[in-house]
Amino acid sequence: VFNTYYLIKDDFLIVKSFAFVKTKVPIKDIISVEETNDPSSAPAISMNRLKIDYKQDEYQIVLIISPKEKQKFMSELKKKMKE
């Protein structure tokens, strides 16, 4: 039951980490997506990561994830951001 996944569904990026942590980011609030090897603690199980900056209220939040197919995931997310 301790799994991590990332999903682009409808107008949201959904990040589920371990058993209880779930983050739901509106795609319209994503500012940027870029590759990173940042070793910060994050819901990422690999060092081959994506850094996602998004706005929440008046704050800018950084989310670091590590999808298995990083390039494909980044491409799909950027495409969805343009819609």
Side-chain angles (χ1 to χ4, degrees), residues 5-7 13-17 21-24 43 63 65:
Y5 68 83
Y6 319 103
L7 179 65
L13 167 61
I14 299 168
V15 177
K16 182 175 179 290
S17 177
V21 180
K22 186 173 183 182
T23 303
K24 192 172 180 182
L63 178 63
I65 63 172

Side-chain angles (χ1 to χ4, degrees), residues 1-2 7 9-11 14 18-19 22 26 29 41-42 44 46 48 51 53-55 57 65-66 68-69 73 79-80:
V1 186
F2 295 97
L7 179 65
K9 184 172 181 183
D10 300 322
D11 294 327
I14 299 168
F18 306 108
K22 186 173 183 182
D29 292 342
S41 177
S46 164
N48 193 13
K51 176 183 171 205
D53 292 293
Y54 67 97
K55 60 184 175 183
D57 300 318
I65 63 172
S66 60
K68 284 183 183 177
E69 296 181 32
F73 192 89
K79 179 180 175 185
K80 192 77 172 168

Side-chain angles (χ1 to χ4, degrees), residues 26-73:
I27 291 176
K28 67 177 179 59
D29 292 342
I30 296 175
I31 299 165
S32 65
V33 179
E34 60 188 45
E35 296 183 54
T36 184
N37 292 317
D38 184 339
S40 300
S41 177
I45 52 180
S46 164
M47 291 303 293
N48 193 13
R49 299 170 165 192
L50 294 177
K51 176 183 171 205
I52 299 169
D53 292 293
Y54 67 97
K55 60 184 175 183
Q56 185 175 38
D57 300 318
E58 69 272 8
Y59 302 102
Q60 184 169 329
I61 311 293
V62 174
L63 178 63
I64 298 177
I65 63 172
S66 60
K68 284 183 183 177
E69 296 181 32
K70 182 177 72 172
Q71 294 298 328
K72 181 179 176 186
F73 192 89

